[in-house]
Structures are given as structure tokens and as C-alpha cells.
Amino acid sequence: MNLTEMHADPDDTQRRLDEAVYAISGRMAGPPSVGLILGSGLGEFLNDLAGNTSVSYADIPNFPRSTVVGHAGNLIFNRIGTMTFAALQGRVHYYEGYSIREVVFPVRVLARLGVGKLIITNAAGGINRTFQPGDLMLIADHINLMGANPLTGQNLEALGPRFPDMSEAYSRKFRELARAVAEEKRIGLQEGVYVGLAGPSYETPAEIRMLAALGADAVGMSTVPEVIAGRHAGIAVLGVSCITNMAAGILDRKLDHAEVMETTVRVKDKFAGLVRGLLDRLAAGAEV
Ligand code: HPA
């Protein structure tokens, strides 16, 4: 590799992607068309499906591994009818100390494998006062306040354009499909703007008042980098937040990770029903 080439890919992303994809491709039945990123405690429902191929992140070269309780680390391959999918059970966060490019490495692997549609889930604090813990929120749009962007640095043209459009970060058709599935299954679905912060400390009440004034309905510490990398790769994205708690200062109580985990456990069947319904519709040929 000469100096110009090194500069073009400072993290050696292309080679690291090649290695990861090479290790995985022998283990999947066919290339996945749909990807899922299942956050804190939300990934387990897939374990009940017959025919899963599960690949531990530990067995995928260059794959970042989560240090957070509640985040498994498996890449699951399966199909519903002829619709193939790949699900990331667990993700890594920027606050764990990974670089913002490492955080999106798994999304780039999915893109390389052929994923064209991506369903991203997360846990978030509710800023909108009409929300309640346990609600699901369709992400209509996001605000990036992480202080970082995974596309910073020389652009890798093979992965996507220098200046990707973000005017429909969360696919309109995909959201229409999610609303239809929720209605059919009688699952309540809020909709709003997700603001991504670096964390890991929760926000102060003053910060939450500021975020409310900026137009945010929910706050969390993930998703935004993954959506940016997904859009860069031309993937249609759907995002769903589980409102696990009301954001700081809204109720007269402290926030803790145990409450977040408790709520995800409480709503996981509802969440799984929505995601499963989406997969079934995609398998039946729904366009997004
Ligand atoms: N703030 C930030 N991230 C979160 C929260 C919160 O209140 N709840 C779950 N993830």
C-alpha cells in the first residue's frame, strides 16, 4: 500500500470489512436482504425462531464487542419465506470508548452482505410529556448531538457518497408500513424526533428542557451513527424507540439503568410483535 492509498482509508476499513465478510459468508445460507439492530434486551425474541444460524461477534474478525449488561453479541441469520435477514443482537456505543467509525462497522458489514433495508431499535428517555414509559416511538427524524459523525475523514467512495442526503433519514414508506402493522396488531405507536447524545451520563433537567425546545421527543445514546452509515450505504432505515423512562426532570425521580432494563423486559413482547409483523410484511413483498 502506498501513502496515498493509506490516506484514503486511514482505519483500513476496507480490508477489515473484507475480513469480517469473508468469515461470515461461509456461515450464512444466502445474502440477507433485511438487517436488524436489536438494542438492550430487545433481541431475544429471535431466539425462538427455528432455523437460526448464530455467529458470535467474537468469531467475526474486527467486530466490536459490547461491554454493557443486556447486550448480547450475536449475529443471527434466518429467513421468513424467501425473505432473508441478518440481525445484530446487541450493539456497541460511542460511550464505551469505541471510535465513531468502529460503532458503525457492523452496519457496514450488513451493507456489504447485501442488506437494503434496516430496522433499528433502541431504548430512549421520553421528553415529550404525552409519552409514558413502555410506549414505542417510531423515529420520524433525528438530531445528531453526539459531537461526532461516522463519515468524518476521507470518504470511502466504495461505501457511499461524500455528502449523503439525510432529508429522509427514516424512510417514509417504511414508517407507513410500521404504522399499518401497529394498527393491525393493536400496538400503540407514538412518533417523534430522536436526539442522539454521546452519554454515558444521563442528561440534566436543564439539558432536557433545552432538547425539548429544540424539537426532540426522545433522547438516547445510540442509533444516530448507525443511521448515518446506513444512509451513506443507500439503505432504507426504520427506527423504533422503546421509551423506557421519562427523561431527567420530567418526573421527580432519579434515572437508572435498572429502570431502563425493567421497562425493556416489560414491553419486549409488544416490541417483538411489531418487529415480527414488519418482517412478515416484508416477507410478503411489502415495498419500502
Ligand atoms: N437518556 C439517554 N439515554 C437513554 C435514556 C435517557 O433518559 N433512557 C434510555 N436511554
Side-chain angles (χ1 to χ4, degrees):
M1 197 189 292
N2 65 35
L3 267 180
T4 315
E5 281 163 354
M6 250 159 68
H7 186 58
D9 190 359
D11 305 332
D12 223 357
T13 302
Q14 304 270 28
R15 180 187 56 77
R16 295 187 321 120
L17 279 172
D18 288 342
E19 288 171 356
V21 168
Y22 180 76
I24 295 165
S25 33
R27 306 203 39 193
M28 56 185 202
S33 63
V34 175
L36 299 111
I37 304 178
L38 303 167
S40 316
L42 302 170
E44 280 115 53
F45 80 96
L46 282 177
N47 297 347
D48 301 337
L49 287 183
N52 279 334
T53 298
S54 177
V55 183
S56 167
Y57 293 174
D59 295 334
I60 308 174
N62 311 313
F63 226 68
R65 286 165 65 191
S66 177
T67 60
V68 189
V69 179
H71 282 260
N74 298 303
L75 178 53
I76 307 265
F77 294 100
N78 209 334
R79 59 171 68 230
I80 296 175
T82 57
M83 191 268 303
T84 49
F85 65 87
L88 293 159
Q89 267 183 334
R91 57 152 63 85
V92 299
H93 303 80
Y94 189 42
Y95 62 71
E96 293 178 75
Y98 289 105
S99 76
I100 198 74
R101 281 191 288 271
E102 279 175 296
V103 168
V104 302
F105 186 81
V107 174
R108 289 179 158 167
V109 169
L110 292 183
R112 272 287 195 96
L113 293 176
V115 161
K117 305 174 186 95
L118 181 62
I119 298 171
I120 304 186
T121 68
N122 62 40
I127 296 176
N128 185 321
R129 286 166 181 269
T130 69
F131 292 179
Q132 282 180 9
D135 282 355
L136 300 183
M137 185 192 87
L138 195 54
I139 305 179
D141 205 347
H142 75 217
I143 300 172
N144 180 9
L145 288 184
M146 288 209 158
N149 187 306
L151 308 183
T152 297
Q154 187 112 34
N155 186 53
L156 300 175
E157 287 294 329
L159 303 188
R162 168 77 290 184
F163 300 111
D165 174 50
M166 291 293 286
S167 53
E168 208 180 304
Y170 301 82
S171 154
R172 185 181 302 270
K173 282 178 112 180
F174 221 151
R175 276 184 283 142
E176 280 167 14
L177 183 67
R179 280 188 226 106
V181 169
E183 195 170 330
E184 178 191 296
K185 297 201 162 208
R186 307 230 184 290
I187 296 169
L189 196 55
Q190 307 279 11
E191 186 158 353
V193 172
Y194 174 93
V195 59
L197 270 61
S201 48
Y202 288 118
E203 303 70 35
T204 63
E207 286 165 346
I208 293 300
R209 288 193 296 275
M210 173 190 77
L211 297 171
L214 292 178
D217 297 291
V219 57
M221 307 173 191
S222 68
T223 301
V224 164
E226 295 151 346
V227 173
I228 293 172
R231 293 304 297 138
H232 185 232
I235 295 173
V237 177
L238 181 83
V240 185
S241 294
C242 170
I243 305 299
T244 51
N245 57 282
M246 293 314 289
I250 293 187
L251 304 175
D252 187 20
R253 58 176 292 181
K254 292 187 175 180
L255 274 55
D256 65 26
H257 187 58
E259 180 190 3
V260 170
M261 297 307 293
E262 274 161 33
T263 309
T264 59
V265 169
R266 180 158 64 82
V267 304
K268 70 176 193 309
D269 290 345
K270 176 166 76 165
F271 215 135
L274 180 66
V275 175
R276 178 64 208 240
L278 278 159
L279 291 176
D280 288 340
R281 289 287 195 105
L282 292 171
E287 296 283 334
V288 295

